[in-house]
Amino acid sequence: MKLTTILAATDFSECANEAVIRAATIAAARDVPQLEVLHVVNRGTLNGLRKLLQASPAEAEKQLVEEAEVAVRHLTEKLAREHGITVTGSVEVGNVAATIVSHAESIDASLIVLGVRGANLLREILLGTTAEKVIRRSTRPLLVVKTRPDMPYGNALVPVDFSAHSRDAFEVCRELVGPHARVNILHAYEIPFESKLQYAGLDEETIRQYRSGSKQEAEAALRQFASDEGAIGRNIHLLVAHGYPPKVIRENEQEIGADLIAIGKHGESKMEDLLVGSVSEHALERSDCDVLIAGRAHAGGKH
């Protein structure tokens, strides 16, 4: 997996602009040929401005687009100057999440970068964040920025369940953070029917052996995953923990001081994702650090 094009979306809020800066630092550090900054003029905002200005729809759209184009141009020039990279900008009108997804497709983006919160916090509380909507609509890797981009990523946590999406997340993460960052590969395992064992009349020694065997199987599976992915070296660390995956991920994030969580969009159980929400959505909602969510792998951005 090679990063060739990064799309960073902004609504000019503080959080969104921090995401754009993170995208620029990644582009500079990883020699990404193309970084594009996109601003989407929201249809709802456009209708509100038209009423406020007592202007026709065409006049209101023209004014808002022109103002956004100036702001995007200033931002891209600043990023290019400060990071020594080539940055382009664009402005479109439409539904924000849908437009980001379609624009990413049109430029064959290897990575989409968004802030975790936009300018309209109340709307996001009621209807869900743009990031959540993009996750559901796009198969391209998405980086959701929650923290100030003061330093390069140095300590990534990659929860895996050995699904194809887990492998995608690991591959994108390694390309994103580079060879010098610490990458912690975490597998959270649960023991089938654990709560029923004692009620089934099994003695404590049999239960202990069953638990020990489950742990050994999890450790062996994680070692095989690492071997298959070529994940060797002093910067690769394998972690196995027993428990509910979202809880285990949160605990390990805090324990190791992770600055990035990279996780597959879906796990092995698609039905569970539909019923109770995916582990990736739990990570996005509850983590303190940035979150990278991978759908399907893109070689050079291609499906």
Side-chain angles (χ1 to χ4, degrees):
M1 191 274 169
K2 180 67 175 176
L3 292 176
T4 58
T5 305
I6 297 176
L7 175 64
T10 182
D11 60 3
F12 307 119
S13 65
E14 181 179 357
C15 187
N17 284 336
E18 287 180 351
V20 170
I21 294 171
R22 173 61 77 181
T25 61
I26 293 170
R30 309 304 299 150
D31 295 322
V32 179
Q34 181 181 356
L35 169 62
E36 180 165 341
V37 176
L38 169 69
H39 174 73
V40 181
V41 177
N42 187 285
R43 289 287 186 192
T45 302
L46 187 60
N47 291 335
L49 181 64
R50 178 178 61 82
K51 295 176 182 178
L52 184 65
L53 298 177
Q54 296 182 333
S56 68
E59 291 171 336
E61 179 173 326
K62 181 174 183 294
Q63 179 176 338
L64 207 57
V65 168
E66 288 176 349
E67 291 174 353
E69 288 174 341
V70 171
V72 167
R73 184 171 66 252
H74 288 164
L75 180 56
T76 56
E77 290 173 353
K78 184 174 185 289
L79 292 170
R81 184 172 61 252
E82 293 181 351
H83 296 273
I85 57 176
T86 300
V87 189
T88 58
S90 57
V91 175
E92 293 194 20
V93 179
N95 173 276
V96 176
T99 303
I100 291 171
V101 172
S102 64
H103 195 88
E105 292 293 325
S106 70
I107 67 170
D108 198 20
S110 308
L111 178 69
I112 303 170
V113 183
L114 298 174
V116 70
R117 289 279 183 263
N120 193 334
L121 181 58
L122 178 59
R123 178 181 177 85
E124 291 187 342
I125 290 173
L126 295 174
L127 301 178
T129 67
T130 297
E132 291 168 338
K133 295 172 185 176
V134 172
I135 288 169
R136 297 187 183 104
R137 296 182 186 210
S138 178
T139 59
R140 295 176 183 269
L142 171 66
L143 176 63
V144 181
V145 176
K146 294 186 170 190
T147 60
R148 290 180 60 85
D150 297 325
M151 298 285 291
Y153 294 125
N155 193 13
L157 178 65
V158 188
V160 300
D161 63 359
F162 315 127
S163 65
H165 289 283
S166 288
R167 297 181 187 278
D168 294 344
F170 175 72
E171 291 172 6
V172 179
C173 178
R174 292 192 80 179
E175 175 63 20
L176 190 66
V177 303
H180 302 298
R182 174 183 173 120
V183 178
N184 306 274
I185 309 176
L186 169 68
H187 176 56
Y189 71 98
E190 296 181 279
I191 301 174
F193 313 114
E194 182 178 18
S195 62
K196 309 295 184 184
L197 296 180
Q198 291 179 330
Y199 293 107
L202 295 179
D203 59 84
E204 286 298 326
E205 177 60 21
T206 301
I207 293 174
R208 186 192 67 78
Q209 291 178 359
Y210 180 64
R211 289 171 176 163
S212 177
S214 296
K215 182 179 180 181
Q216 290 174 9
E217 288 176 4
E219 291 172 339
L222 182 56
R223 287 194 298 269
Q224 186 62 55
F225 175 91
S227 175
D228 292 344
E229 295 298 317
I232 57 175
R234 62 185 181 88
N235 289 334
I236 299 292
H237 299 264
L238 305 183
L239 307 172
V240 170
H242 170 242
Y244 178 54
K247 183 174 183 290
V248 170
I249 292 169
R250 176 65 173 154
E251 290 172 347
N252 277 268
E253 175 202 356
Q254 295 177 325
E255 183 175 338
I256 69 173
D259 53 17
L260 175 69
I261 294 175
I263 192 166
K265 181 177 179 180
H266 294 291
E268 289 187 310
S269 174
K270 297 291 182 64
M271 181 58 70
E272 183 179 358
D273 285 349
L274 291 172
L275 294 175
V276 298
S278 67
V279 176
S280 60
E281 289 178 329
H282 283 282
L284 179 61
E285 180 182 349
R286 300 178 186 180
S287 67
D288 293 325
C289 65
D290 294 359
V291 179
L292 170 68
I293 298 177
R296 290 180 296 186
H298 299 269
K302 292 287 186 185
H303 286 282

